[in-house]
C-alpha cells in the first residue's frame, strides 16, 4: 500500500510542476513587458531537439542490439557519459539554432532568460509533472488492490518484471522523495536558464562561440550525475545536493555574463523621444499663450 501522505505529495508536486513554470514565464513577461515568443520557442526547441531528435541516437546506441549498445549498456561510465553528451549536444545545439535563426529580432538579454524559462519549464512538466501523475495513477491502482491483477494479464515476462519493479518503487516512495524531486527540478530550471544565457551570448557575439562548447560540457556533466542516480549507483540525496550546488555555481557564472549583455533600449528610447516631443509642444503652447495675453493687454 502507498500511504496517504505520499499520494497527496505526488499530486501536489505534479500540480506545482505545471503551475510554477507558467508562473515564472508570466512574471518575467509582466516584469519586463517583453514578448512571450522566446518562451514558446524554448518549449518547441526542447520538444524537438531534447526529445524527438535525441530519440534517434538513443534508439541506435541504446535500444537496438549491437556491439555498441551492449558496450554502453554494460558499462555505467559509458552509459553516463553517453547520456550526458547526448543531452548536452542536442539541447545546446537547439538553443543555439533558436537564438541564431528563430529569435534574431529578440536581440536583448531578457530574451535569453525568457527562452530558458520556456525550455526548462516544459522539461519540468514532462520530466516531473507527467511522472508524478503516472505515479499517482499507479498508487491509486495499487491501493485498490488491482496492480497485481493487471500485471498477471501481461503475456511477456520481461514486462511483468518491469511493472513489478515499478510497483515496489512506488510503494517504497516517501514524502521526502517527492520533495527532493521538486527541489531537483527547480535547480534544473535555474540551470536551464543559466545555460540559455551562455548560448545567447555565443550566438550573438562573434568572439564568444566557445561559450557554446562550455554550455555543452556543463550540461553533459550534470547529466552524467543524473545517469549514475538512475542506475542506483549514488544515493538520491547526494545527487540532489550536488545538483543544487552545481546549479548555484553555474547561475552565478551566468549572472555575471547576463549583466554584461545589452538591454533592450528601444522602448525606453521611444519613451524619451515621446517625452521630449511632449515637453517641446507644451513649451510652444505656453509661449503662444503668453503672446496672446500680451496682445490682449496691449489692445
Amino acid at each position: 500500500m502507498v500511504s496517504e501522505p505520499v499520494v497527496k505529495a505526488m499530486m501536489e508536486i505534479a500540480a506545482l510542476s505545471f503551475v510554477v513554470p507558467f508562473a515564472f514565464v508570466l512574471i518575467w513577461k509582466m516584469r519586463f513587458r517583453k514578448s512571450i515568443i522566446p518562451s514558446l520557442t524554448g518549449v518547441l526547441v526542447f520538444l524537438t531537439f531534447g526529445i524527438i531528435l535525441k530519440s534517434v541516437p538513443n534508439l541506435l546506441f541504446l535500444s537496438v542490439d549491437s556491439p555498441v549498445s551492449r558496450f554502453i549498456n554494460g558499462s555505467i561510465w559509458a552509459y553516463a557519459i553517453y547520456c550526458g553528451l547526448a543531452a548536452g549536444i542536442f539541447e545546446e545545439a537547439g538553443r543555439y539554432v533558436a537564438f541564431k535563426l528563430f529569435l534574431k529580432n529578440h536581440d536583448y538579454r531578457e530574451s535569453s532568460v525568457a527562452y530558458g524559462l520556456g525550455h526548462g519549464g516544459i522539461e519540468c512538466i514532462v520530466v516531473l509533472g507527467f511522472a508524478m501523475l503516472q505515479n499517482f495513477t499507479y498508487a491509486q491502482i495499487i491501493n485498490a488492490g488491482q496492480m497485481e491483477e493487471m500485471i498477471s494479464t501481461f503475456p511477456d515476462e520481461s514486462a511483468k518484471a518491469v511493472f513489478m519493479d515499478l510497483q515496489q518503487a512506488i510503494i517504497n516512495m516517501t514524502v521526502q522523495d517527492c520533495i527532493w524531486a521538486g527541489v531537483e527540478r527547480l535547480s534544473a530550471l535555474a540551470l536551464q536558464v543559466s545555460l540559455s544565457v551562455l548560448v545567447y551570448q555565443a550566438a550573438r557575439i562573434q568572439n564568444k562561440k566557445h561559450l557554446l562548447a562550455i554550455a555543452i560540457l556543463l550540461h553533459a556533466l550534470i547529466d552524467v550525475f543524473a545517469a549514475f542516480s538512475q542506475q542506483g549507483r549514488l544515493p538520491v540525496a547526494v545527487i540532489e545536493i550536488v545538483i543544487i550546488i552545481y546549479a548555484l555555481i553555474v547561475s552565478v557564472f551566468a549572472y555575471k555574463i547576463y549583466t554584461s549583455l545589452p538591454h533592450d533600449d528601444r522602448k525606453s528610447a521611444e519613451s524619451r523621444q515621446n517625452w521630449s516631443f511632449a515637453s517641446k509642444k507644451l513649451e510652444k503652447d505656453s509661449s503662444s499663450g503668453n503672446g496672446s495675453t500680451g496682445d490682449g493687454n496691449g489692445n
Side-chain angles (χ1 to χ4, degrees):
M1 294 288 290
V2 184
S3 68
E4 191 63 26
V6 173
V7 173
K8 288 182 179 179
M10 289 176 181
M11 198 61 216
E12 289 168 359
I13 295 297
L16 287 174
S17 68
F18 282 87
V19 172
V20 170
F22 281 111
F24 280 153
V25 169
L26 291 176
I27 289 170
W28 190 260
K29 174 178 170 52
M30 293 170 65
R31 170 67 178 81
F32 293 100
R33 299 182 182 278
K34 303 297 183 185
S35 171
I36 202 170
I37 295 298
S39 295
L40 295 178
T41 303
V43 171
L44 293 176
V45 167
F46 175 79
L47 294 175
T48 303
F49 283 80
I51 294 181
I52 298 173
L53 294 180
K54 192 176 71 173
S55 67
V56 176
N58 285 349
L59 178 66
L60 294 175
F61 298 134
L62 296 179
S63 299
V64 176
D65 186 41
S66 69
V68 175
S69 65
R70 286 194 292 271
F71 170 73
I72 293 175
N73 289 313
S75 168
I76 180 59
W77 281 101
Y79 178 81
I81 292 172
Y82 167 80
C83 289
L85 286 176
I89 291 170
F90 276 89
E91 290 191 43
E92 302 316 314
R95 252 186 267 265
Y96 187 82
V97 170
F99 288 127
K100 202 71 175 176
L101 298 180
F102 306 138
L103 297 174
K104 289 189 294 185
N105 296 327
H106 299 269
D107 54 344
Y108 46 88
R109 69 184 189 181
E110 291 82 5
S111 69
S112 64
V113 176
Y115 173 93
L117 291 173
H119 188 121
I122 192 63
E123 181 188 46
C124 178
I125 292 171
V126 171
V127 174
L128 181 62
F130 290 138
M132 280 295 172
L133 285 177
Q134 175 185 277
N135 290 341
F136 175 80
T137 301
Y138 283 127
Q140 298 296 325
I141 296 173
I142 292 169
N143 288 346
Q146 298 174 351
M147 188 70 170
E148 293 185 1
E149 180 182 344
M150 182 182 74
I151 293 173
S152 66
T153 63
F154 296 158
D156 187 19
E157 291 299 324
S158 61
K160 288 183 179 180
V162 169
F163 274 86
M164 288 294 292
D165 290 342
L166 175 63
Q167 175 181 235
Q168 197 58 46
I170 293 174
I171 291 173
N172 292 336
M173 281 188 72
T174 65
V175 174
Q176 287 77 14
D177 291 333
C178 297
I179 294 173
W180 273 120
V183 172
E184 186 268 337
R185 275 299 104 198
L186 285 176
S187 301
L189 179 58
L191 189 60
Q192 292 285 19
V193 171
S194 300
L195 294 174
S196 297
V197 173
L198 269 64
V199 177
Y200 173 87
Q201 190 179 37
R204 289 286 185 266
I205 302 176
Q206 187 65 32
N207 63 347
K208 297 292 184 179
K209 304 300 182 187
H210 64 280
L211 286 174
L212 175 60
I214 292 175
I216 291 173
L217 291 176
L218 289 173
H219 195 143
L221 183 58
I222 198 62
D223 273 36
V224 166
F225 283 101
F228 273 104
S229 177
Q230 290 174 2
Q231 296 293 315
R233 301 302 179 92
L234 289 173
V236 174
V238 172
I239 292 295
E240 304 303 345
I241 292 171
V242 168
I243 291 174
I244 292 170
I245 296 173
Y246 189 85
L248 286 173
I249 294 172
V250 177
S251 295
V252 170
F253 176 52
Y255 179 74
K256 291 181 179 180
I257 293 175
Y258 179 82
T259 55
S260 69
L261 293 172
H263 290 277
D264 181 13
D265 292 327
R266 287 169 293 189
K267 288 188 177 180
S268 58
E270 183 181 350
S271 298
R272 287 195 298 269
Q273 185 178 2
N274 291 340
W275 174 254
S276 176
F277 175 79
S279 299
K280 288 180 181 178
K281 188 174 186 304
L282 181 62
E283 289 175 4
K284 183 178 179 181
D285 291 344
S286 298
S287 299
S288 300
N290 290 336
S292 300
T293 303
D295 291 342
N297 291 336
N299 292 334

